[in-house]
Amino acid sequence: MAQPNNENGSGIGCLLALLGLGLALAYWPIVLAVGILTATIAAVGYAVLLSNQQQLKAAAALAERRLRQDPCIVQGRFGVIESITVQGELQAPTIQVVCRTIGAGNNQRVPDVIATCLTPPAERNRLRVPSAMAAWLRAGEITLLDNLSVEARAVRAAMECIKQRQWTTDVLSKLTALLDSVVDTLNKAKGNELLESSIPQLRQALGAFQAEEETLRQAHHSAGEMLRKLQDFLSVPDGIRPILTFDLEELFDPERFAALEQSFSDVVLLNDAFRELSRDAKA
């Protein structure tokens, strides 16, 4: 019973389609002009949005170059700016500011990461002017610290401590493997005429590795203690902190970290020489 209705509906649809086609053919210049105008408007709109995004990315990249690793307070926590990038779609872009914070726990090994998405300023040039950029960041709960302030120096030192603790943890793991390798080879060398001649060098390498391990453990502990002290200092209320005095350069020396890296590099070279010696002995 419903079939005639369906056929009638199909017939009407075909008639309307033919009528529309007829009108389009009759007025094709107008239809073509409207289509071209619509496509042009869409293309221009897309080009404007794309250009806006490119300008925004350039401004964000400039801001990142200027502010990367600068000390700040984000959502009430001390840290440094890690990156400033453009996120989101063309129609609604946002700027993501990623900060690494010191964290609240004692001996925090890995810094916490806070990512804040901010609405781009109406005037892109605000991202190029330091004072305007600082005001824009404050609106997003990110306050830049004066680079000469004791808080800024303390934040930098704390980040270096975290970096040193992470590095020494990784290096101690590698050094443990080196020690195990030397001890294992020494055990095999006893009574083995192919390896006995290398025992003095093996013992020398073992002593160097053990001394390096002790140095690294002390550095790891010292960095943790300094990090705890810096966290305690930064947790003091703002009104009290200015009356506290201490020599940060005397408490934390970044050059010690460079010396540690060089020392471990020397140990790696010694291990390479030991491995070469072992290959020659076995040959």
Side-chain angles (χ1 to χ4, degrees):
M1 296 296 292
Q3 186 175 356
N5 291 334
N6 291 337
E7 291 178 353
N8 290 336
S10 300
I12 294 173
C14 291
L15 288 175
L16 291 175
L18 290 174
L19 180 61
L21 179 61
L23 290 174
L25 292 174
Y27 299 98
W28 68 266
I30 297 176
V31 173
L32 180 61
V34 170
I36 293 175
L37 180 61
T38 302
T40 302
I41 292 174
V44 171
Y46 177 79
V48 170
L49 290 174
L50 186 61
S51 175
N52 178 67
Q53 186 189 59
Q54 291 174 342
Q55 293 177 12
L56 191 59
K57 285 184 176 180
L62 176 61
E64 180 179 288
R65 287 195 298 271
R66 288 178 174 174
L67 299 179
R68 184 173 173 80
Q69 301 305 318
D70 274 11
C72 65
I73 300 176
V74 53
Q75 298 179 14
R77 302 176 66 177
F78 287 96
V80 295
I81 292 179
E82 181 71 13
S83 65
I84 301 176
T85 56
V86 176
Q87 305 288 329
E89 301 178 353
L90 285 175
Q91 294 83 355
T94 61
I95 297 181
Q96 185 183 71
V97 182
V98 177
C99 301
R100 289 185 301 138
T101 63
I102 297 172
N106 288 341
N107 297 334
Q108 182 84 9
R109 177 173 178 260
V110 179
D112 297 326
V113 175
I114 296 179
T116 305
C117 287
L118 304 178
T119 301
E123 298 179 6
R124 300 293 181 259
N125 287 333
R126 293 194 65 186
L127 293 175
R128 301 176 183 275
V129 180
S131 59
M133 184 165 49
W136 173 71
L137 287 172
R138 273 197 305 273
E141 298 187 59
I142 302 173
T143 302
L144 298 175
L145 297 175
D146 182 351
N147 281 324
L148 299 180
S149 68
V150 67
E151 289 86 358
R153 289 185 292 146
V155 169
R156 287 196 182 94
M159 287 298 174
E160 285 295 326
C161 287
I162 293 174
K163 177 183 177 182
Q164 182 171 316
R165 280 176 58 79
Q166 186 170 0
W167 182 83
T168 51
T169 297
D170 296 339
V171 167
L172 279 168
S173 177
K174 296 177 183 178
L175 193 57
T176 298
L178 296 181
L179 280 166
D180 291 343
S181 176
V182 173
V183 171
D184 182 60
T185 306
L186 266 174
N187 292 332
K188 293 178 180 178
K190 296 175 182 178
N192 186 332
E193 64 275 9
L194 297 178
L195 298 175
E196 279 185 333
S197 61
S198 302
I199 288 179
Q201 290 90 337
L202 289 169
R203 287 176 176 168
Q204 179 184 3
L206 180 62
F209 292 171
Q210 289 173 336
E212 185 68 15
E213 181 183 37
E214 179 61 26
T215 299
L216 289 170
R217 291 193 184 282
Q218 290 179 357
H220 184 81
H221 176 74
S222 297
E225 286 297 301
M226 176 52 60
L227 178 59
R228 179 184 60 79
K229 294 174 183 177
L230 290 167
Q231 287 173 324
D232 289 345
F233 169 77
L234 291 172
S235 67
V236 172
D238 295 348
I240 303 298
R241 201 180 303 130
I243 67 175
L244 302 177
T245 59
F246 66 92
D247 188 350
L248 185 60
E249 284 73 15
E250 183 177 326
L251 291 175
F252 182 81
D253 182 8
E255 292 184 2
R256 295 180 203 164
F257 185 38
L260 281 174
E261 290 181 311
Q262 181 59 50
S263 178
F264 182 72
S265 177
D266 294 341
V267 166
V268 171
L269 291 176
L270 178 61
N271 178 66
D272 292 341
F274 150 67
R275 292 172 62 121
E276 187 68 29
L277 183 66
S278 298
R279 282 195 294 268
D280 292 343
K282 291 177 181 178

